[in-house]
Amino acid sequence: MASFVSSRFGGLPKGFGVLWAGTLVNRAGTFVAPFLTIYLTEYHHLALSAITPILVGYGIGVMLSSPLGGVLADRIGRPRTMVVGLVAAAICQLLLALVRGALLIGFVVFLLGLVGDVFRPAAQATVADVVPEKDQARAFGLLHWALNLAAPLAALGAGWFATRSWTTLFLIDALSSLTFAALVQTRMPRMPAKPGRRDSHNATSPHRWSGALVGVCLLTLAVFFTYFQTSYVVPASLLESGLQPADYGIMMAVNGAFVAVVQPLAGPWLTRIPKRHAMGAGALLIGVGLGSTGLVDTLPLLLITVVAWSLGEIAVAALLPSLVADLAPAESRGRYMGAFGASIGAAGVMAPLGVALYHANSSLVWWLCLILGVAAWPGAVVLTRAIGVRGAEPAGSARPPAEADEVG
């Protein structure tokens, strides 16, 4: 049992434990964003014509947040960027509880979107800095696991507080951000103020790495556009087939429970398979799972599709950021992670187009999900082979990054 637990959860540096705990606390206290539309309509009584540009502004801010955080992480250091971003997010959350009027609310909401993910590229770059390469896929998977563990708490908490006190909801959201910032400030092991120089592996061909990043971002865009249809096309299809909203809730509960149980167990397995194939298989499972959704109309069969795309989610959530970490020169890891986060944000902006495609021709969207999933596997193989990335081989065969020795 000790060996089993250690292989799933142990062997990671103290700095990662700080990030994991902070991610859990911060996500458990993320109340504002999921309930923003309800807050604007129920509390401020804003019309739809006023709410729409506010939400668009928030989406634009979110798309810019990761690139901004990536640049800051490389310029002023990882811990400082995380603290600045988290404190700024807390300030915006408190301001949002105080401001009145659509114009001021819209401005603060934009700022909240802009600073809300500034910490994330710095946190991901820190994983690449302090976690040995052979354990990075497992570490990124555990961070995703923390998000899934905390998400139900956030949803239940937000629903409870929203019916009693919006002010309390904003205060707790801000407190969760400040708690994460305090953990980074006080518990994160000493790190260099700025990232080190480019290591020997990456020094020879910066243009090749930049081109590879474009390829990884396009792959990420395709995979997450497909995955996000679980929030857009799947519920529309489910209701059209005669099932109830509660059935969709059951599907999402199965997804959350499945990821919560399997994600930490799958970590060691993901490191034993060549990264290109494990990542391609994950994308394929997402595509096949969603593509199959259009063929079934009963809850038991739909739950089988949920298991398929949940397995895919587990793989890509761990391996895509690990691949970006493989690509990034040491001094550019923040920017690379920022570009990766921006591609996920772009997928979120584009994902509602799936609903329009579904209403135009329901079979087309399922075929699109299947095609994108099938194409992702050879795309991952071609990409990793073309650039000769370390992650093209099983993770256990690679050496740890040089920066890990600099952590006090």
Side-chain angles (χ1 to χ4, degrees):
M1 179 59 71
S3 175
F4 176 84
V5 172
S6 177
S7 66
R8 270 71 181 174
F9 304 99
L12 297 172
K14 179 182 177 182
F16 176 78
V18 173
L19 291 178
W20 191 90
T23 298
L24 183 71
V25 171
N26 188 53
R27 182 64 183 89
T30 300
F31 296 157
V32 174
F35 278 69
L36 185 57
T37 301
I38 296 175
Y39 173 68
L40 296 176
T41 55
E42 296 295 324
Y43 186 78
H44 287 285
H45 306 291
L46 296 179
L48 181 62
S49 58
I51 293 174
T52 300
I54 292 175
L55 296 179
V56 170
Y58 178 75
I60 293 172
V62 170
M63 286 189 63
L64 297 175
S65 185
S66 284
L68 174 62
V71 171
L72 290 176
D74 290 337
R75 287 185 178 273
I76 67 173
R78 324 297 197 211
R80 190 176 301 171
T81 298
M82 285 188 277
V83 171
V84 168
L86 290 163
V87 171
I91 293 172
C92 288
Q93 290 151 1
L94 295 175
L95 284 176
L96 192 54
L98 299 175
V99 297
R100 299 292 183 270
L103 188 59
L104 276 177
I105 291 172
F107 178 68
V108 174
V109 167
F110 168 74
L111 289 180
L112 179 60
L114 183 64
V115 301
D117 273 347
V118 162
F119 78 92
R120 199 174 305 280
Q124 292 174 325
T126 300
V127 173
D129 290 340
V130 306
V131 176
E133 187 181 329
K134 64 184 179 64
D135 292 321
Q136 284 179 9
R138 180 164 63 98
F140 283 117
L142 288 174
L143 285 182
H144 183 67
W145 181 54
L147 293 174
N148 277 273
L149 288 178
L153 297 176
L156 293 173
W160 191 87
F161 284 114
T163 61
R164 289 162 175 81
S165 171
W166 284 101
T167 301
T168 303
L169 184 144
F170 284 102
L171 287 173
I172 295 178
D173 203 334
L175 181 61
S176 70
S177 296
L178 293 175
T179 300
F180 193 178
L183 285 172
V184 172
Q185 184 66 32
T186 61
R187 305 300 296 174
M188 181 68 71
R190 179 183 59 82
M191 299 178 62
K194 293 184 180 181
R197 295 180 179 179
R198 191 189 313 267
D199 61 45
S200 59
H201 176 81
N202 291 330
T204 58
S205 52
H207 295 295
R208 183 175 69 170
W209 298 117
S210 298
L213 178 63
V214 173
V216 173
C217 287
L218 291 175
L219 179 66
T220 301
L221 181 68
V223 170
F224 277 89
F225 173 85
T226 305
Y227 178 78
F228 286 152
Q229 300 313 315
T230 60
S231 299
Y232 291 99
V233 176
V234 168
S237 171
L238 183 142
L239 294 176
E240 195 172 272
S241 66
L243 297 174
Q244 301 300 313
D247 296 320
Y248 179 69
I250 293 173
M251 292 173 65
M252 293 299 99
V254 168
N255 165 246
F258 187 86
V259 172
V261 172
V262 176
Q263 181 88 64
L265 302 180
W269 291 98
L270 292 176
T271 64
R272 297 171 188 168
I273 306 171
K275 191 172 294 185
R276 59 179 178 262
H277 293 309
M279 188 165 50
L284 179 64
L285 283 168
I286 292 175
V288 170
L290 284 166
S292 302
T293 303
L295 304 176
V296 299
D297 56 3
T298 64
L299 184 58
L301 291 177
L302 285 170
L303 293 179
I304 295 176
T305 70
V306 170
V307 170
W309 52 257
S310 297
L311 279 171
E313 174 191 349
I314 289 168
V316 300
L319 294 171
L320 276 173
S322 175
L323 179 60
V324 178
D326 285 330
L327 287 173
E331 78 281 6
S332 301
R333 282 176 180 148
R335 280 170 285 187
Y336 273 55
M337 289 298 182
F340 169 67
S343 64
I344 297 176
V349 172
M350 295 172 59
L353 296 176
V355 178
L357 183 61
Y358 177 79
H359 288 303
N361 188 327
S362 60
S363 63
L364 286 180
V365 71
W366 305 125
W367 276 108
L368 177 61
C369 290
L370 181 60
I371 290 170
L372 289 175
V374 170
W377 194 330
V381 171
V382 170
L383 178 64
T384 53
R385 283 182 172 173
I387 61 182
V389 68
R390 287 169 288 178
E393 301 305 324
S397 64
R399 61 175 178 81
E403 289 83 352
D405 295 334
E406 301 180 28
V407 179

